[in-house]
Amino acid sequence: MSNSSEYSPSGVPIIRHKDLDREWQSTSYATTEWLQRIEKHADTYLGEADSVFHELVSDRVHIDVHIIRPTPERNYYTLYTTGMSALPMNTPEDAEDYEYAELMICLPPDWPLLEEELEESDNYWPIRWLKTMARLPHDYDTWLSWGHTVPNGDPATPFSNNTDMCALIVLPPLEVEEDFLTLDMGDGQTVHFYAILPIYLEELEHKLEYGLDALLDQFEAHDVNEILDVNRVNTCGEA
């Protein structure tokens, strides 16, 4: 990743990730105890996972995706990663407490998740991006945290045929207890749990132009949360 002196109108630095010219690297696996603590934490606050997408081939880190089925209390699928926190992220000096993270995304209860259904890119893209985002800090020697946005390409294009959303924003999930957001692993290591929310181009531009708080105000006004709705209102679109 190249350090950039490019800034958005709101003063946010813009980093453009370029494909790294590096060789395949051996995979860093989180210890069994580390993974078990994350899974127990998720069991407590999200519910027990029904299945896991195990990564067969890994580079740098091994990312698994755990799937929690809808329940009456949480009537949507919850997918979360383990393995992103196997390595610390390259955080700035003033953000060293945020070196470790895992990600989640929530899908509607009717989202097609059978193996044969996931062969369709319109169904698989949220999972692919969950894994892509979990690997991104380690691939590009950077970090992800609250408010970071990642577009689908430059210029950004829609994720699939079933939505016009074309970027992701990293935010703390809203539909969880506050105690879920962090997990103290001891020795000064804390894992932070974030949701990734697909957003529209106009929302990405609004954040770059006016700042994160302005976009969050739009989300709050329109009751946007971490549960994916591919047809939700564009909070920064024309009225």
Side-chain angles (χ1 to χ4, degrees):
M1 185 191 74
S2 60
N3 292 324
S4 172
S5 58
E6 185 178 354
Y7 290 84
S8 75
S10 66
V12 176
I14 297 174
I15 306 298
R16 300 193 184 276
H17 300 295
K18 298 180 180 180
D19 289 336
L20 298 182
D21 183 17
R22 65 172 177 80
E23 295 183 359
W24 186 274
Q25 297 187 15
S26 61
T27 302
S28 295
Y29 290 86
T31 65
T32 299
E33 181 185 1
W34 183 281
L35 294 175
Q36 287 177 342
R37 292 187 64 181
I38 293 174
E39 290 176 28
K40 183 178 179 181
H41 185 73
D43 288 349
T44 300
Y45 293 101
L46 305 178
E48 293 188 18
D50 177 73
S51 57
V52 182
F53 287 130
H54 291 284
E55 194 167 60
L56 299 180
V57 179
S58 304
D59 181 22
R60 294 287 314 259
V61 288
H62 177 90
I63 307 296
D64 287 336
V65 175
H66 302 248
I67 303 172
I68 302 169
R69 289 188 176 276
T71 64
E73 297 76 26
R74 294 173 60 85
N75 188 28
Y76 42 86
Y77 286 101
T78 304
L79 285 64
Y80 71 92
T81 64
T82 56
M84 179 182 178
S85 61
L87 293 174
M89 296 183 288
N90 183 20
T91 56
E93 289 185 4
D94 60 350
E96 291 174 343
D97 292 342
Y98 295 87
E99 289 180 327
Y100 300 93
E102 297 288 353
L103 302 177
M104 61 182 285
I105 192 169
C106 295
L107 304 177
D110 59 350
W111 193 271
L113 282 176
L114 294 176
E115 184 175 354
E116 59 271 21
E117 293 172 325
L118 292 176
E119 293 177 2
E120 296 289 335
S121 60
D122 286 354
N123 300 332
Y124 185 66
W125 69 267
I127 301 171
R128 177 168 59 85
W129 270 97
L130 185 62
K131 296 175 65 171
T132 297
M133 291 286 282
R135 177 163 276 110
L136 184 146
H138 307 302
D139 280 347
Y140 296 99
D141 196 26
T142 183
W143 69 306
L144 286 178
S145 187
W146 174 315
H148 290 182
T149 45
V150 176
N152 180 29
D154 186 8
T157 57
F159 289 115
S160 73
N161 295 318
N162 59 7
T163 188
D164 289 330
M165 290 186 276
C166 62
L168 293 164
I169 187 167
V170 179
L171 291 173
L174 296 176
E175 303 299 312
V176 298
E177 295 182 39
E178 187 174 352
D179 287 345
F180 169 71
L181 300 179
T182 57
L183 175 59
D184 182 3
M185 305 295 277
D187 295 329
Q189 298 171 317
T190 300
V191 176
H192 295 261
F193 295 87
Y194 302 109
I196 56 171
L197 282 65
I199 60 175
Y200 293 99
L201 178 61
E202 292 80 6
E203 293 170 337
L204 175 64
E205 293 175 338
H206 192 82
K207 183 238 180 182
L208 295 175
E209 182 78 22
Y210 302 108
L212 175 61
D213 287 345
L215 178 58
L216 295 182
D217 287 344
Q218 293 295 103
F219 283 176
E220 185 176 2
H222 293 86
D223 296 320
V224 174
N225 60 20
E226 67 266 24
I227 305 169
L228 175 62
D229 177 357
V230 294
N231 296 310
R232 73 165 172 83
V233 65
N234 183 340
T235 66
C236 300
E238 296 182 4

